[in-house]
Each structure stands twice: as structure tokens, then as C-alpha cells.
Amino acid sequence: MTAPITLHIQPARQALQVSSEPQMVYLLVTGRTATTTQKQLPLNLCLVLDRSSSMRGERLFQVKEAARQVISQMQSSDAFGLVTFNDRAETVVPSQLVRDPESIKTQIMSLDARGGTEMAQGLALGLQEIERPKISGINRLVLLTDGRTYGDEHACVELARRAQRRGIGLTTLGVGTEWNEDLLETMTAGPNSRTQYITAASEIGKVFSAELSRLHATVAQSVELALAMSPEAQIQACYRVQPFIAQLYPQSAGNGIWRVPIGEWAANEEQTFIIEMVIPPATTGTHTIARLDLRYEAVGNMAPQSASAVVQMPAIVGEEQQVAPEVRRALERMVAYQLQTRAWQAVAEGKIDDATKQLRMAGTHLFNSGEVALAEMAHAEATRLLQGGTTSADGRKRIKYGTRGLIVGR
């Protein structure tokens, strides 16, 4: 039986200020699952792998070993498909139940590397393959690349959106420094998708194995956070801050009701969110800020389930309360992520001074949150930017993905 998700809410401050003006409120929302013996849903997995000439040597060797290890971790009730792409796309392993793992491993070993990079063809064929098995379970498309695709970026984003609309999660993995992180991040903007930076080929196997373990540990799907607030209140921003940082996109349903799609949830996993909201003027007394409902479908029990909490806060006259330490740490990480995002936008617009300032500020917040090495890198790249007008490809990726907690091989 799957354990329920429990919900805990921590406001940044213990009290509101009595005021005739609207005020900002931050809520730290934490959901946890307990250790449990769970039913495991079948996994429908399709790997879409770059086999262009730049993948030759160690990268391709590690990819093949990682894919073979994936097969060893899968059950006979799971489905597996493998698509490769360079100048064209090819189905290497048609999507099938993993009933003959040794035969699939042999097919994987036939991979070689040559040609250029046209990602959209691989995504289109991967999407076709992953929809072939007619099993009810977890659908995941994992794409790995080490280079830039040219001329088909818009098609890549459209294919990613099509997959997400069909309930297919997307994980994109970039190896080395030459791939387009802006494209992969745009493709994975959604509640059930993410991108990750792998700094060294030797880490590919670890990432593939961890991804499969996380998918097999899924205990809840279609997870959504619903908030009921005063119709005059507004959600300004919402971020997942644990296990990795990602912006979430609340959807207003009217009359003070907001919905935040989250995606899947793994066993023994803690997920933490920061919600930034503006509430109406507060008079003396106790105020109900919001009712939160975490809704989900639990594995082994498809009836909708939920965890609920009501946030009430007193309004007082006097000095503002101190921010709770755990909320402060989460806010430091969130602000650092926002600042480095703005820095790269400023670089793209040619605003070097602004970008330098944003990177240095991000470094300060990273330092305050305990990320000393990453803070030093942000300051180093800010200096490089100011002196030479550009940053290093590796430094940019390490800051972007290190800030989010999505870098492997530091």
C-alpha cells in the first residue's frame, strides 16, 4: 500500500503587519512520503541518443554501457525503445517489452558515431516509438546530446510540447560544453520534465541508473497543488526548490483558486516549494491566508487522494518578524537562480554591465546559502564577462545547472 504524501506549511514570518496596503507573503510548502512497500508501475522508456561524429570514443562507449545497464535494471513488464540521430534518425531497438534483455543489449552494441546533429528527427521518431507499446504505466523519453542542432529548434520545442500534452515526461541530458542549454531548458519547461548537465562522459551511467531508479520509485502521478485564497490575493511566483530548482506556473481558475501542476512524486522523496503571493491589506486579528490541497493519484490506488493545510496568520502592529531560517535558505537559492537567469538574458541583450552585476549578486546569495564553490565561480565568470565581454561555456553551464542542483560530475 502506498503511503500518503504529508503536507507542511511554513510562512516566512510568524505574523503579518497591520497595513492599509497589500503586502508580500512567502510560504515554504513541503511534501513528504514515508518509507513504504509499493506497487511498481510498468515503465515505458525510450532513449533518444545523439550519435553524431562528436560522440565518438569515450562518450559513445559510456552511452552504450549506460544503456545496457538500463536494460539490466528493467523488468519484463517494462517497455524499452532506442532511437538514435545524427543527420537522420534511426530506430535501433523498436519499443518492446523487455523479455529478451540479452538480445536488446546486443543491438545496443551496434551503435557507431558519424555525421551531424538534427535533433528534431530523433525526437519525432522517439515519440512515435514510445507510443507503440500499449501499457498503462509511466511514460518517459530520455534524450542525450553533446552538440547543437541547427535550423530545427522550433520543431524540437513543438515535439516536446506534444509529448508533454500526451502525458510523456521528458528528461534531456547535455554532455560536455557544446550543446544548447537554452534549447533544452525551453523543451523541458513543464511540471513533468527536466534537463541536466553531465560534465564528464564517465558520469553518464550514474545518471541513467539514477533516472531509472527514480522512475521505478514513483508513488504518485498527476500531482497538483491547489490554493484557495482571497479573490483579491495574487500569486506572484512559484518555484520548486527541492530536490532541484525549477519555476512552476500557477494557473488561475478564478475566484481566488489557483492550480500548480507538479508532475510525478517518488517514494521517500521530499519536495519543497516557495510560493510568493500578494495579499490584501490586513487589519488587527487573525487572517486565513490560503487553503492548500496537494492532490494526486497514488500508485496502486487510482482514486484521487489529497493532503490539506490551512494557513492562518495574526496581523500585528510593530516591527516585522524575522524570516524563519529554513525559509531564508530556500529564498537565497531561489533568488540566486533568478539573478543568474537575468544575467544570461542581459548577456544576450548586450548589457554586459547589468549581467556582471546580476552574476555578482547571484554569487552573494549562493554564498549565503552555503554554495561557496558555486559562488566563487559566479564571481569569476562575472570578472571574465566584464574584462572580455563573454563567459566560458563550461562556467555558464555550471552556474546555470549548479544553481538549480542539476549538475553531475562537479
Side-chain angles (χ1 to χ4, degrees), residues 133-165:
K134 303 302 180 184
I135 62 175
S136 177
I138 301 165
N139 300 296
R140 198 76 180 184
L141 194 152
V142 178
L143 179 145
L144 180 142
T145 185
D146 74 339
R148 290 177 176 266
T149 187
Y150 293 98
D152 61 353
E153 290 89 348
H154 180 72
C156 289
V157 174
E158 286 301 310
L159 287 163
R161 295 292 175 267
R162 184 187 306 172
Q164 291 157 346
R165 287 194 296 268

Side-chain angles (χ1 to χ4, degrees), residues 65-315:
E65 288 300 305
R68 284 162 56 86
Q69 180 59 36
V70 162
I71 296 301
S72 297
Q73 290 180 252
M74 298 184 80
Q75 308 295 321
S76 59
S77 57
D78 295 332
F80 176 85
L82 173 59
V83 167
T84 61
F85 64 92
N86 47 23
D87 300 309
R88 61 187 182 87
E90 177 185 354
T91 298
V92 177
V93 180
S95 278
Q96 59 191 271
L97 295 177
V98 185
R99 291 175 175 166
D100 189 354
E102 294 308 314
S103 173
I104 296 174
K105 290 179 182 180
T106 299
Q107 294 175 72
I108 291 170
M109 291 307 294
S110 69
L111 295 181
D112 62 359
R114 62 182 182 274
T117 305
E118 294 188 25
M119 190 185 297
Q121 293 189 52
L123 275 172
L125 190 55
L127 187 55
Q128 178 180 312
E129 284 297 326
I130 202 171
E131 293 186 319
R132 188 188 303 275
K134 303 302 180 184
I135 62 175
S136 177
I138 301 165
N139 300 296
R140 198 76 180 184
L141 194 152
V142 178
L143 179 145
L144 180 142
T145 185
D146 74 339
R148 290 177 176 266
T149 187
Y150 293 98
D152 61 353
E153 290 89 348
H154 180 72
C156 289
V157 174
E158 286 301 310
L159 287 163
R161 295 292 175 267
R162 184 187 306 172
Q164 291 157 346
R165 287 194 296 268
R166 295 177 182 177
I168 301 167
L170 180 63
T171 299
T172 62
L173 307 172
V175 182
T177 62
E178 300 305 316
W179 48 280
N180 185 344
E181 68 268 20
D182 293 332
L183 173 60
L184 296 195
E185 286 189 336
T186 301
M187 289 166 57
T188 55
N192 204 23
S193 299
R194 63 192 180 93
T195 184
Q196 194 162 342
Y197 177 27
I198 306 174
T199 64
S202 59
E203 302 290 338
I204 293 173
K206 179 196 297 185
V207 173
F208 274 35
S209 181
E211 180 74 3
L212 199 69
S213 296
R214 187 183 65 82
L215 293 170
H216 273 148
T218 300
V219 294
Q221 295 179 291
S222 304
V223 184
E224 175 188 83
L225 185 64
L227 294 90
M229 310 186 302
S230 163
E232 290 79 32
Q234 291 286 325
I235 295 181
Q236 297 291 95
C238 182
Y239 284 82
R240 178 191 280 116
V241 291
Q242 196 177 20
F244 59 89
I245 292 185
Q247 185 170 6
L248 301 176
Y249 298 93
Q251 302 164 0
S252 174
N255 296 320
I257 305 298
W258 295 77
R259 294 189 172 92
V260 185
I262 292 171
E264 298 165 350
W265 206 296
N268 306 319
E269 181 177 69
E270 179 175 294
Q271 293 201 38
T272 306
F273 311 90
I274 281 282
I275 301 174
E276 177 184 320
M277 61 178 66
V278 176
I279 65 167
T283 55
T284 303
T286 300
H287 298 263
T288 298
I289 304 302
R291 175 187 169 90
L292 290 84
D293 293 286
L294 189 71
R295 302 167 181 168
Y296 56 97
E297 295 176 357
V299 171
N301 182 0
M302 298 310 290
Q305 298 189 42
S306 66
S308 302
V310 176
V311 182
Q312 293 184 317
M313 297 176 66

Side-chain angles (χ1 to χ4, degrees), residues 1-79:
M1 183 68 179
T2 299
I5 301 173
T6 58
L7 199 60
H8 175 73
I9 315 296
Q10 171 69 63
R13 292 185 169 88
Q14 301 251 337
L16 305 172
Q17 289 291 302
V18 172
S19 173
S20 59
E21 300 293 330
Q23 59 188 289
M24 193 79 73
V25 171
Y26 291 95
L27 300 180
L28 185 70
V29 181
T30 303
R32 301 182 179 94
T33 58
T35 302
T36 178
T37 300
Q38 66 188 71
K39 178 181 178 181
Q40 185 172 293
L41 284 177
L43 174 60
N44 180 20
L45 176 70
C46 183
L47 301 183
V48 178
L49 305 178
D50 186 341
R51 59 182 294 186
S52 61
S53 58
S54 59
M55 288 288 293
R56 287 177 184 154
E58 178 70 6
R59 287 178 184 173
L60 187 62
F61 172 80
Q62 293 290 349
V63 163
K64 290 194 284 189
E65 288 300 305
R68 284 162 56 86
Q69 180 59 36
V70 162
I71 296 301
S72 297
Q73 290 180 252
M74 298 184 80
Q75 308 295 321
S76 59
S77 57
D78 295 332

